[in-house]
Amino acid sequence: LGTVFEDILFTVVDILLCTVLNGLSWYCVVKRLGFCGRAGYLVWALIYVFLSIGRLQTITWSQWFLFYILMLIPAGYTILALIQLY
């Protein structure tokens, strides 16, 4: 029962964190044109890289590894787009 609660808690925290960071990155990149100029694009690319690495670490202990792998696809395209904007 403890691991089920931990999995649910981790998933809820991950969804909330990613939702907030995605909204913030949209605002900074689209509305503020990179937040800190061109360097802001690289900062957001690094944030997405670190979030993706965190998701890769969950694959080893989660039953939902396919779901996390599918979440890496849009993150990868976002990282690529941010690097191209730089």
Side-chain angles (χ1 to χ4, degrees), residues 8 17 19 22 26 32 34 36-37 39 43-44 48 50 57-58 60 62 70 72 75 77-78 80 82 85:
I8 292 171
L17 178 67
T19 301
N22 282 326
W26 172 83
R32 302 281 298 180
C36 295
V43 170
W44 282 110
Y48 277 102
F50 289 131
Q57 291 174 350
T58 62
T60 59
S62 177
L70 290 175
L72 292 175
Y77 280 112
T78 302
L80 180 64
L82 287 167
L85 284 171

Side-chain angles (χ1 to χ4, degrees), residues 29-30 38 40-42 44-46 48-49 73-86:
V29 171
V30 175
R38 292 181 60 189
Y41 295 128
L42 290 180
W44 282 110
L46 288 174
Y48 277 102
V49 166
I73 295 170
Y77 280 112
T78 302
I79 293 166
L80 180 64
L82 287 167
I83 290 171
Q84 288 178 346
L85 284 171
Y86 176 74

Side-chain angles (χ1 to χ4, degrees), residues 5 12-13 16 26 29 36 40 42 44 47 51-52 55 57 61-62 64-65 85:
F5 177 73
V12 168
V13 169
L16 289 175
W26 172 83
V29 171
C36 295
L42 290 180
W44 282 110
I47 289 171
L51 286 175
S52 299
R55 288 197 181 102
Q57 291 174 350
W61 60 268
S62 177
W64 301 96
F65 65 93
L85 284 171

